[in-house]
Amino acid sequence: AQSVAQPEDQVNVAEGNPLTVKCTYSVSGNPYLFWYVQYPNRGLQFLLKYITGDNLVKGSYGFEAEFNKSQTSFHLKKPSALVSDSALYFCAVRDGEAGTALIFGKGTTLSVSS
Amino acid sequence: NAGVTQTPKFRILKIGQSMTLQCTQDMNHNYMYWYRQDPGMGLKLIYYSVGAGITDKGEVPNGYNVSRSTTEDFPLRLELAAPSQTSVYFCASNRGEVEQFFGPGTRLTVL
């Protein structure tokens, strides 16, 4: 069965420093991977996806993610964090048994301090 | 485009009551989904639909029902509300392979 793990409940980083939010996956076949962000009392917003192609994927708001097949990872990164990046981040993989629905990780809270 | 809209935004139910959570999308997406979000648990798939007239169960369908009579609408029905259904409910839609678009959510409390 497909699954996604986000090993950190919370990541703390100072403004201006690089940030990484970790995600590992387990799928049969080729993975379709996604990152979403959720601000308080809001719905989820799409950041970026990996379907095929270049292992480094660029997305919205300066975020990028690196797909690593050998380590089954899809970590989210940003070179310089902003206080406004503070939010809840979800990694997701397409559920091969439920059409194109997604299986989500538990989420990682990113806190950027000024 | 309004995108994905959900009503109501908040609702308090008593145990045993029923209600329908509404979801509408104006992007002509054929795929629609219902998820529930519980603290520290991520999102879990309740039901999904690949087109009008076609629905299927997700990971946590017990206590819920859905229908899809049009491309635009995908209502979620709770027949006998239970405290375990206290959650935030999100509707989403897409064209399949591409990213899903989420509604703003409905926060439901069952007392």
Side-chain angles (χ1 to χ4, degrees):
Chain A
Q2 329 282 58
S3 66
V4 172
Q6 294 181 242
E8 303 156 317
D9 291 337
Q10 180 148 349
V11 170
N12 299 310
V13 65
E15 188 174 33
N17 284 358
L19 69 88
T20 298
V21 183
K22 296 180 180 178
C23 172
T24 59
Y25 65 89
S26 175
V27 302
S28 55
N30 295 322
Y32 286 42
L33 296 158
F34 301 80
W35 276 102
Y36 284 83
V37 60
Q38 184 181 34
Y39 296 99
N41 300 313
R42 302 288 296 275
L44 277 70
Q45 297 178 29
F46 170 77
L47 281 178
L48 51 81
K49 66 178 182 282
Y50 174 84
I51 304 283
T52 186
D54 195 348
N55 289 344
L56 184 63
V57 179
K58 294 188 182 298
S60 305
Y61 312 122
F63 284 93
E64 58 189 27
E66 186 170 9
F67 172 67
N68 188 315
K69 188 173 183 177
S70 63
Q71 297 185 4
T72 62
S73 67
F74 189 56
H75 299 333
L76 181 70
K77 299 181 179 184
K78 188 174 183 181
S80 179
L82 299 172
V83 172
S84 58
D85 291 331
S86 298
L88 181 58
Y89 290 80
F90 289 101
C91 182
V93 65
R94 193 178 72 168
D95 183 348
E97 298 181 2
T100 60
L102 297 176
I103 296 174
F104 286 86
K106 293 184 177 182
T108 299
T109 298
L110 173 66
S111 179
V112 181
S113 57
S114 59
Chain B
N1 285 350
V4 179
T5 58
Q6 293 182 238
T7 57
K9 291 185 178 180
F10 305 94
R11 185 73 184 268
I12 298 175
L13 283 181
K14 294 182 178 179
I15 295 172
Q17 287 185 321
S18 62
M19 76 165 293
T20 299
L21 282 68
Q22 301 291 345
C23 174
T24 300
Q25 53 90 9
D26 63 357
M27 297 172 282
N28 200 32
H29 288 166
N30 48 338
Y31 293 80
M32 296 188 74
Y33 316 84
W34 275 105
Y35 296 91
R36 59 177 286 172
Q37 181 182 23
D38 300 304
M41 299 297 293
L43 280 74
K44 302 289 185 183
L45 181 67
I46 305 172
Y47 271 94
Y48 67 101
S49 170
V50 300
I54 306 171
T55 62
D56 208 347
K57 296 177 180 179
E59 183 181 358
V60 289
N62 292 343
Y64 307 94
N65 277 300
V66 294
S67 60
R68 183 97 182 269
S69 57
T70 67
T71 299
E72 295 78 19
D73 300 308
F74 190 41
L76 178 70
R77 180 79 177 167
L78 283 70
E79 291 295 347
L80 292 171
S84 61
Q85 294 177 306
T86 293
S87 187
V88 182
Y89 292 84
F90 288 102
C91 180
S93 71
N94 69 354
R95 292 187 188 276
E97 299 293 329
V98 298
E99 62 272 20
Q100 294 181 16
F101 293 82
F102 283 79
T106 294
R107 187 175 296 272
L108 176 66
T109 301
V110 182
L111 300 175

